Amino acid sequence: MLNYYLTIVLAPLAAAVIAGLFGKQIGRAGAHWLTILAVGLSCALSIFVLKEMFWGDAASENISLYTWAVTDGLRMEVGFLVDRLTALMMVVVTFVSLMVHVYTIGYMHDDPGYQRFFSYISLFTFAMLMLVMSNNFLQLFFGWEAVGLVSYLLIGFWFKRETAIFANLKAFLVNRVGDFGFILGIAGVVMFTGSLDYATVFDGADRIAAETISIVPDSPWNAITVICILLFIGAMGKSAQAPLHVWLPDSMEGPTPISALIHAATMVTAGIFMVARMSPLFELSETALAVVMTIGAITAFFMGLLGIVQNDIKRVVAYSTLSQLGYMTVALGASAYSAAIFHLMTHAFFKALLFLAAGSVIIAMHHEQDIRKMGGLKKYMPITYWTALIGSLALIGFPGSSGFFSKDLLIEAVKDSHWHGQGAVYWIAYLSVLLGVFVTALYSFRMFFLVFHGKERMDAETKSHLHESPHVVTVPLILLAIPSAVIGWFTAGPVLFEGYFQDAIFVTEGHDVLAHIGATFWHGSLALVLHIYASPAFWLALGGFLTAWYLYLHRPEIPAKIQSALSGIYGLLERKYYFDDLYIKGFAAWGRGVGTFLWKRGDQQVIDGWLVNGTAQSIGKLAGIMRQLQTGYLYTYAFAMIIGVTMLLSWLIWFR
């Protein structure tokens, strides 16, 4: 199987290098065919690996491929850990990436950076595969940073736009905050275990849990708690959890295909995957799990509220991503790691679908993204309409859709978790994921109704050119719509309740909420759909859908009145809880102020003014004085010699 693994990883890398360095020679067609075939090969082999793991009952493999360095007994290696968690992630990453590659042919058709874009997204796929297939923290960190680097390049792909440059710089800086915590967490792992290898570290988890760290004098902390929280800070940056979420909405400045790739299958899910992979560590710290659950709950509910006031079609979907990542994080905090990964998988399909559908609309609207200038597109774009509807229904958890299985079971896991009856943490999490269902349905169908239904609000010129997108756009939409609609029926039971992750995810007996649900709640996919009336999530989703219909189709004049009556709350949401103001006008402005002060006072005045230029000026003034002694007259020099000899003789006589 090693050759398969190497091919899966290296095929996108080779295609990225060739398309990037030899783009002019191979041309546009060469670039897209090369990268699509490479990622397609990776996808096919990943599906084969998953089949062997699931149906063929193949054993997990932990392969050390190459030893890069050994220092003081610490081995730095490149290797693969391929188990069922890895296999599932490989299929999700490569399949969504393949759909994005095909879609890009239509979306980026006239862009001058065509070959460069294909090179970047293929490189992105390689970086994510290296991350999910790693068997050690060093390779994990390499993939982690590589994904961040390529996302920086892609968010700022249209580098002539100031907004794009600002957005990729923002993403870079915010992720550096998270990555600082992440690398400290890895350093803590090395300090207590002397190893970067997952297996060795997990075997030593109990020893770490018995140690303490004094962060401040006379205040010892449990070592495993500190390490897990630091690792989770890294996840907060990559998976955009509050308060490190601010970069993700601005990443919409990149082309739509990369918005789908970042939000659906790669960068933002890296943090969720990492915490699930580190379950043997997190399970030993109740404090770390409480932090994870609380941060996820805040993100799930409050970021969803921001989607209600957004008018940019891509930003609505972006805030939806923030909210859904919060759901996954809450599941991690409830020790329902399998539920988090299951929702990650279903979310990858329907969120990629929604982003690509939004891109299809943007193409038809000549790159207009304001949903207030759309309306009535159903009759012009039927394929986009129906696929977007499937994606929206999956997002809100419509019964039978993939999102229904993953979100409903996730909410049940939070409800019945070991946190039940333990006070604020439980109620914050449970109410957030429950109320978030109503909010999700409201903003999802607000966007859907304003775009596809109601009065046509576009100008006459745009209207005259409206038509369905080409096949390279619609075919990926259809292929993503299929799993968005039906995959939950076939995968919910095996993934969540039949031990699919038994060798990949570790859960202590007291935390195994999914085993409890499997014994008392789960009676099969059909039974779950038939018992929707017992689920508060269903009724809340229905309430959100009907509210959106009433406000934006039946009585479209009401939202403006609500906005006027609740101007304070609306302003708070429109300003995104003032996080951007805090970071840009607060921390960043303070940093620039300190830098300006040190530049003007320290560099210019002290170093340049006093030390460098001041020394030169002093020497110049001294030289000017000494110059006056050089008259050029012989008698002046003779007089000076006589005075000097006299002073010397006087000194000798006086001190003799």
Side-chain angles (χ1 to χ4, degrees):
M1 293 289 280
L2 177 59
N3 290 335
Y4 288 165
Y5 304 151
L6 287 172
T7 303
I8 289 169
V9 169
L10 296 179
L13 175 62
V17 171
I18 295 171
L21 297 180
F22 305 103
K24 289 185 178 179
Q25 287 79 5
I26 64 177
R28 288 176 167 242
H32 70 236
W33 275 114
L34 176 65
T35 53
I36 287 171
L37 289 174
V39 175
L41 176 61
S42 293
C43 182
L45 292 177
S46 296
I47 293 171
F48 174 76
V49 171
L50 180 63
K51 181 187 79 69
E52 290 297 302
M53 287 281 176
F54 187 65
W55 288 285
D57 206 26
S60 301
E61 294 190 73
N62 190 351
I63 303 168
S64 178
L65 190 64
Y66 171 72
T67 300
W68 177 51
V70 179
T71 174
D72 294 330
L74 181 65
R75 300 181 67 85
M76 301 181 184
E77 298 178 331
V78 176
F80 298 140
L81 171 59
V82 182
D83 54 18
R84 291 184 171 188
L85 174 60
T86 306
L88 181 65
M89 291 297 298
M90 288 160 58
V91 171
V92 170
V93 169
T94 54
F95 178 75
V96 174
S97 178
L98 178 60
M99 295 300 100
V100 170
H101 275 71
V102 175
Y103 177 93
T104 298
I105 298 173
Y107 193 88
M108 301 293 287
H109 182 266
D110 297 321
D111 197 283
Y114 191 84
Q115 293 97 313
R116 177 166 59 95
F117 190 83
F118 274 98
S119 173
Y120 285 173
I121 58 176
S122 189
L123 185 61
F124 208 148
T125 307
F126 158 74
M128 192 65 189
L129 287 170
M130 286 293 287
L131 189 156
V132 300
M133 295 175 69
S134 62
N135 71 343
N136 63 84
F137 284 93
L138 178 67
Q139 186 174 326
L140 173 70
F141 189 71
F142 166 77
W144 195 269
E145 293 302 310
V147 168
L149 169 64
V150 186
S151 70
Y152 170 84
L153 297 173
L154 284 163
I155 293 169
F157 182 79
W158 287 321
F159 52 84
K160 294 184 180 180
R161 296 183 183 179
E162 290 187 11
T163 52
I165 297 303
F166 178 81
N168 73 351
L169 179 61
K170 188 176 184 180
F172 179 83
L173 293 176
V174 172
N175 274 278
R176 295 291 69 72
V177 176
D179 291 354
F180 181 67
F182 188 56
I183 199 168
L184 286 178
I186 294 175
V189 166
V190 173
M191 181 172 71
F192 286 102
T193 66
S195 176
L196 289 164
D197 180 70
Y198 289 164
T200 304
V201 171
F202 295 160
D203 287 342
D206 289 330
R207 296 197 306 274
I208 304 175
E211 300 287 346
T212 59
I213 299 176
S214 293
I215 300 175
V216 294
D218 301 321
S219 181
W221 280 60
N222 182 265
I224 199 97
T225 295
V226 173
I227 288 171
C228 288
I229 290 176
L230 288 171
L231 292 174
F232 179 64
I233 290 173
M236 288 170 63
K238 277 289 182 290
S239 293
Q241 297 297 289
L244 300 182
H245 66 281
V246 294
W247 67 270
L248 192 58
D250 285 3
S251 70
M252 297 300 98
E253 292 296 331
T256 297
I258 194 52
S259 299
L261 200 55
I262 289 176
H263 286 243
T266 52
M267 185 170 175
V268 296
T269 58
I272 306 300
F273 165 79
M274 184 272 291
V275 175
R277 175 62 81 195
M278 300 300 140
S279 58
L281 303 180
F282 279 85
E283 280 297 283
L284 300 180
S285 174
E286 291 287 314
T287 303
L289 290 175
V291 170
V292 172
M293 177 175 266
T294 304
I295 293 295
I298 292 170
T299 306
F301 181 68
F302 288 100
M303 295 304 111
L305 289 176
L306 296 182
I308 299 173
V309 301
Q310 300 300 312
N311 295 311
D312 184 307
I313 187 171
K314 287 171 62 177
R315 285 181 182 267
V316 176
V317 187
Y319 279 105
S320 166
T321 299
L322 284 173
S323 180
Q324 296 307 304
L325 288 168
Y327 274 86
M328 299 174 208
T329 304
V330 171
L332 295 172
S335 295
Y337 304 98
S338 299
I341 296 298
F342 184 54
H343 193 52
L344 182 157
M345 177 191 71
T346 62
H347 176 264
F349 296 124
F350 63 72
K351 187 51 60 67
L353 172 60
L354 285 172
F355 267 113
L356 298 187
S360 179
V361 170
I362 292 169
I363 294 171
M365 293 291 297
H366 294 279
H367 294 277
E368 175 59 65
Q369 297 183 198
D370 192 333
I371 59 178
R372 295 170 298 182
K373 298 179 181 178
M374 300 179 188
L377 293 183
K378 177 184 177 181
K379 66 180 180 181
Y380 301 103
M381 309 180 71
I383 298 176
T384 301
Y385 171 83
W386 288 108
T387 53
L389 177 60
I390 291 171
S392 299
L393 291 173
L395 175 59
I396 71 170
F398 182 78
S401 68
S402 62
F404 167 76
F405 291 102
S406 60
K407 187 183 287 187
D408 259 40
L409 291 171
L410 184 156
I411 293 171
E412 288 297 323
V414 174
K415 176 185 174 183
D416 294 343
S417 69
H418 67 280
W419 294 105
H420 185 74
Q422 295 194 32
V425 172
Y426 171 78
W427 286 109
I428 289 172
Y430 183 55
L431 291 177
S432 293
V433 295
L434 205 55
L435 295 175
V437 173
F438 175 86
V439 174
T440 301
L442 178 57
Y443 67 66
S444 297
F445 276 91
R446 169 183 177 264
M447 178 185 73
F448 186 80
F449 290 143
L450 288 176
V451 171
F452 293 105
H453 289 276
K455 183 175 63 174
E456 298 175 0
R457 297 177 297 277
M458 68 287 294
D459 58 55
E461 176 65 20
T462 301
K463 185 177 178 180
S464 66
H465 293 93
L466 283 175
H467 59 83
E468 185 59 271
S469 299
H471 292 315
V472 289
V473 172
T474 56
V475 169
L477 293 180
I478 295 169
L479 292 177
L480 286 167
I482 293 170
S484 298
V486 303
I487 199 170
W489 289 91
F490 312 107
T491 56
V495 171
L496 297 179
F497 306 116
E498 297 175 14
Y500 175 81
F501 291 125
Q502 59 185 357
D503 297 326
I505 290 175
F506 172 77
V507 183
T508 58
E509 186 175 350
H511 291 179
D512 197 356
V513 62
L514 292 177
H516 172 71
I517 291 175
T520 60
F521 177 80
W522 175 257
H523 303 294
S525 300
L526 181 59
L528 181 63
V529 174
L530 293 177
H531 287 81
I532 56 174
Y533 63 85
S535 170
F538 167 74
W539 297 107
L540 285 167
L542 180 61
F545 169 83
L546 293 175
T547 302
W549 170 82
Y550 184 78
L551 292 178
Y552 297 100
L553 285 185
H554 186 62
R555 296 288 301 278
E557 73 279 3
I558 292 181
K561 296 178 180 178
I562 296 175
Q563 178 181 336
S564 178
L566 302 176
S567 57
I569 296 175
Y570 184 85
L572 178 66
L573 296 177
E574 195 173 35
R575 297 298 293 270
K576 296 169 281 190
Y577 307 117
Y578 294 93
F579 274 108
D580 280 346
D581 291 336
L582 174 63
Y583 294 152
I584 297 170
K585 298 179 182 178
F587 296 144
W590 178 82
R592 288 195 302 271
V594 171
T596 300
F597 174 81
L598 293 175
W599 164 48
K600 289 189 174 181
R601 296 289 180 263
D603 189 20
Q604 288 189 339
Q605 184 174 334
V606 176
I607 297 175
D608 288 344
W610 296 352
L611 298 181
V612 179
N613 297 333
T615 302
Q617 291 171 0
S618 299
I619 293 174
K621 290 179 181 178
L622 180 62
I625 295 171
M626 297 298 294
R627 190 182 300 115
Q628 302 301 317
L629 302 177
Q630 304 297 324
T631 63
Y633 295 111
L634 184 60
Y635 58 80
T636 302
Y637 300 142
F639 178 73
M641 291 173 63
I642 293 170
I643 294 299
V645 170
T646 301
M647 293 175 64
L648 179 62
L649 291 174
S650 299
W651 182 80
L652 291 173
I653 293 171
W654 182 266
F655 292 101
R656 182 162 57 97

